[in-house]
Amino acid sequence: MTERQFSEHPKGQDLGDGDRIWKEDEDQSIVARSERSIDKERDGGGNQEEVVVAEKKEEDVPPDGGYGWVCVACIFVINGQVSISGLFLWLYILFKTHFTTSIQKLTVLRHTWGLNSSYGVFLAHYLANNVFPGATRLDYAFVGGLSISQALVVSPIATLTTRLWGTRTTLLIGVFFETISLIGASFATKISHLFLSQGVCFGWGMGFLFVGSVTITPQWFSKRRSLANGISASGSGIGGLIYSLAAQAMIKNISLAWAFRILGILACGVNTICALLVRDRNKQIGSSQLSFDYRLFRKIEFWYLLGFGFLSMLGYIVLLFSLPNYARTVGMTAQRGSIIGAMLNLGQALGRPPIGYFSDSFGRINMAGTMTFLAGLFSLVIWMFAKSFGVLLFFAIVGGTVAGTFWTVVGPVWTEVMGIVDLPSSLSITWLALVLPTTFSEAIALKIVDFDHGSYTGAILFTGFMYVGAAGFVWLVRAWKIGELQEKAIASGLDPHALDPVSDLPLGGEARGDSTAVAMQKSSFARRLFMWEKV
């Protein structure tokens, strides 16, 4: 094999047997280097620059589909946790009893105990009923916050298990903890039992499942990366909605305890199947799996991303958990408040795929900033004045479409800014940074409500401004990304507008710059803040 043949040899692609093809690629690399050494001795040396170029591996190109769509479907179900099992249970109850009676039962969600996406309904119910004597408002708020924060706390461990034993093992660990938490919650008689089961244990399960799966979709897609990520992320909205309906039907017809036990068993089966079907491409891309790579803190763009995530979670958790209870404070029934919470989940399910789809054409960072800003604007303009059921229902659906923008764009945007190789390590640190806002945001909101004598005005202002602040950090990331594209274009002798912001390659696959492009300089940061570019 000659040097030219080696440099043109395509990197092994995942065709269902990725490990074998990667091994063949490595073996060919060793043979090529041996042949170059012999040629160099025979010719009395050689061009060192050519040797370095020949030894450099070509950048991995994702297949942009194929088996990746199977992974998207599996991650959709994992994000929804028990969306399929919840649907089965819903249909079972629907056909077990009279159709009309079942519909009435499914729409009365006052006793629902859903997963985190439907925890707002749970919070509204327990704030109005003394189910666990001695429990305070903050206790109930911390149960929901703990489940999310614990999922983020275990992220370094989940990253470590992925590096040591692979993605599949990490996901199966998550399935185990989630199943134990649901079954354990069925025996809860004290608020401390909820802290351990629905809070800590469920959070660990969700953490291993989420951290193990969140990096999979970006590995399989390039041009349609945001669309695929949006579809997989929408599972949380669909799963939360269906889970709420299924849990309510089970509680009304069987009991709360047996609803947890049956759902736990079904969730175990569904998520186990998904864990076995999911396939990563860590070897193909040479993914870094460091649990805590401190070197990332040297990059200013990483700090911008952390700011975006931190403020987004402060607003998102308050909106997710407070909306059903807010409905009660403005005179609505618990039944209508529960419907509002369910519609917020529906809005998230409807909004995430379009956000992903248009991100691929409008620019992923542009879309992240715009949708995050709209989430804050809708909170300040619509939620602030939503006193009737119709207006609040409208806000739940419209606001829900943009409320979870962070979870839709976290994979594609972090890949765009940090690179696919450093994606797992950067996300591992990001999850740790989000522990504080996810734990205390709802508690902060309830304290603000108490300070305002039961009014949610201050909490709504807090939510809106947190979203607007998060959009500001995305604006800074955008300016940095434009500068990076300019640097790469100038270094390559291209016009700065000749690079595709997604692939960093020349548009049309050809260099279209001229000799004057090299003499150009990067724009100032202040100027880049107001530039229009597709990034």
Side-chain angles (χ1 to χ4, degrees):
M1 180 183 289
T2 64
E3 290 184 15
R4 177 177 178 80
Q5 288 173 329
F6 174 75
S7 62
E8 293 178 351
H9 180 66
K11 186 181 177 74
Q13 297 181 355
D14 189 359
L15 301 176
D17 193 6
D19 292 343
R20 177 182 57 80
I21 297 176
W22 175 260
K23 180 66 168 56
E24 292 176 357
D25 190 50
E26 292 291 343
D27 293 341
Q28 292 173 349
S29 174
I30 296 173
V31 173
R33 284 195 293 269
S34 299
E35 291 181 358
R36 282 194 298 272
S37 300
I38 296 174
D39 292 342
K40 184 176 179 181
E41 292 179 0
R42 183 180 63 246
D43 299 337
N47 191 323
Q48 183 67 25
E49 182 179 355
E50 292 179 0
V51 174
V52 173
V53 173
E55 289 185 347
K56 185 177 180 181
K57 292 190 173 204
E58 293 183 12
E59 183 179 357
D60 176 76
V61 178
D64 210 29
Y67 196 82
W69 291 115
V70 177
C71 296
V72 168
C74 292
I75 297 170
F76 174 92
V77 175
I78 290 174
N79 284 335
Q81 304 298 331
V82 288
S83 56
I84 291 180
S85 58
L87 180 59
F88 289 160
L89 290 172
W90 180 18
L91 294 176
Y92 166 74
I93 297 299
L94 188 64
F95 290 104
K96 178 184 176 184
T97 57
H98 190 271
F99 182 80
T100 304
T101 305
S102 298
I103 292 296
Q104 292 174 350
K105 291 181 178 180
L106 291 173
T107 55
V108 181
L109 303 176
R110 61 185 301 177
H111 293 287
T112 295
W113 183 315
L115 298 178
N116 286 280
S117 56
S118 57
Y119 183 75
V121 176
F122 162 83
L123 180 62
H125 172 69
Y126 285 104
L127 286 176
N129 299 274
N130 187 27
V131 178
F132 296 102
T136 65
R137 291 166 60 90
L138 288 180
D139 289 334
Y140 291 123
F142 276 123
V143 170
L146 261 180
S147 61
I148 297 180
S149 63
Q150 288 299 305
L152 303 175
V153 165
V154 301
S155 60
I157 302 176
T159 303
L160 177 63
T161 58
T162 301
R163 185 175 79 236
L164 296 178
W165 303 310
T167 299
R168 185 169 297 162
T169 301
T170 299
L171 295 177
L172 292 176
I173 293 174
V175 173
F176 170 78
F177 278 115
E178 185 176 285
T179 304
I180 293 298
S181 70
L182 289 171
I183 295 177
S186 68
F187 297 99
T189 57
K190 299 178 181 179
I191 189 65
S192 58
H193 299 164
L194 291 184
F195 276 110
L196 295 175
S197 58
Q198 189 72 357
V200 176
C201 191
F202 183 83
W204 290 350
M206 186 168 62
F208 279 97
L209 283 168
F210 179 73
V211 173
S213 63
V214 70
T215 60
I216 301 299
T217 300
Q219 296 177 355
W220 284 92
F221 296 88
S222 55
K223 294 182 179 179
R224 292 180 288 185
R225 179 177 292 156
S226 294
L227 171 62
N229 198 79
I231 294 174
S232 60
S234 67
S236 60
I238 293 291
L241 178 62
I242 296 178
Y243 186 89
S244 297
L245 299 176
Q248 165 61 17
M250 292 288 290
I251 292 169
K252 296 289 287 185
N253 289 270
I254 303 176
S255 69
L256 175 63
W258 275 105
F260 269 120
R261 294 163 194 164
I262 295 175
L263 288 172
I265 294 171
L266 291 177
C268 177
V270 171
N271 286 332
T272 297
I273 294 174
C274 292
L276 295 177
L277 290 176
V278 165
R279 185 185 304 164
D280 64 53
R281 304 183 70 249
N282 290 330
K283 290 185 178 180
Q284 286 84 340
I285 64 177
S287 179
S288 172
Q289 296 289 340
L290 295 178
S291 298
F292 194 89
D293 190 352
Y294 65 90
R295 295 170 297 180
L296 297 177
F297 289 107
R298 301 172 185 172
K299 301 181 179 182
I300 187 63
E301 63 272 21
F302 186 55
W303 286 100
Y304 295 154
L305 292 176
L306 292 180
F308 166 50
F310 193 94
L311 296 184
S312 290
M313 287 301 99
L314 283 175
Y316 175 71
I317 298 300
V318 174
L319 178 58
L320 188 67
F321 290 170
S322 295
L323 201 58
N325 194 55
Y326 167 80
R328 296 172 61 91
T329 64
V330 294
M332 300 180 196
T333 64
Q335 176 181 344
R336 287 196 166 187
S338 301
I339 294 174
I340 294 297
M343 291 303 101
L344 181 67
N345 284 319
L346 178 61
Q348 292 192 74
L350 296 176
R352 292 183 180 185
I355 289 177
Y357 176 79
F358 289 108
S359 292
D360 291 326
S361 56
F362 183 66
R364 291 159 186 167
I365 300 177
N366 291 338
M367 200 66 167
T370 303
M371 296 299 104
T372 302
F373 176 79
L374 286 179
L377 182 64
F378 290 160
S379 297
L380 296 173
V381 175
I382 303 177
W383 188 13
M384 180 67 71
F385 305 101
K387 308 297 181 181
S388 65
F389 178 70
V391 176
L392 192 57
L393 188 67
F394 172 77
F395 169 73
I397 297 176
V398 174
T401 60
V402 294
T405 296
F406 173 82
W407 300 112
T408 308
V409 304
V410 60
V413 169
W414 261 246
T415 303
E416 199 94 348
V417 176
M418 304 306 300
I420 191 68
V421 174
D422 289 329
L423 178 62
S425 298
S426 61
L427 286 178
S428 178
I429 297 176
T430 301
W431 308 142
L432 288 178
L434 300 185
V435 170
L436 287 178
T438 53
T439 303
F440 297 104
S441 56
E442 180 61 17
I444 293 172
L446 289 178
K447 277 296 184 182
I448 295 175
V449 171
D450 290 339
F451 181 79
D452 288 344
H453 307 290
S455 172
Y456 265 84
T457 300
I460 295 173
L461 289 173
F462 175 81
T463 302
F465 286 127
M466 290 303 101
Y467 272 121
V468 172
F473 276 105
V474 180
W475 194 20
L476 297 177
V477 172
R478 182 181 179 278
W480 172 87
K481 181 63 177 180
I482 293 174
E484 184 194 44
L485 289 174
Q486 290 179 347
E487 287 182 351
K488 289 183 177 181
I490 294 171
S492 302
L494 302 173
D495 185 277
H497 297 87
L499 285 182
D500 185 344
V502 175
S503 63
D504 293 346
L505 298 175
L507 292 171
E510 297 179 359
R512 301 192 303 178
D514 51 36
S515 58
T516 61
V518 181
M520 297 180 62
Q521 296 183 354
K522 185 171 71 171
S523 304
S524 65
F525 189 84
R527 183 179 178 184
R528 297 199 302 271
L529 288 172
F530 300 97
M531 280 185 174
W532 167 249
E533 296 287 350
K534 175 190 170 184
V535 293

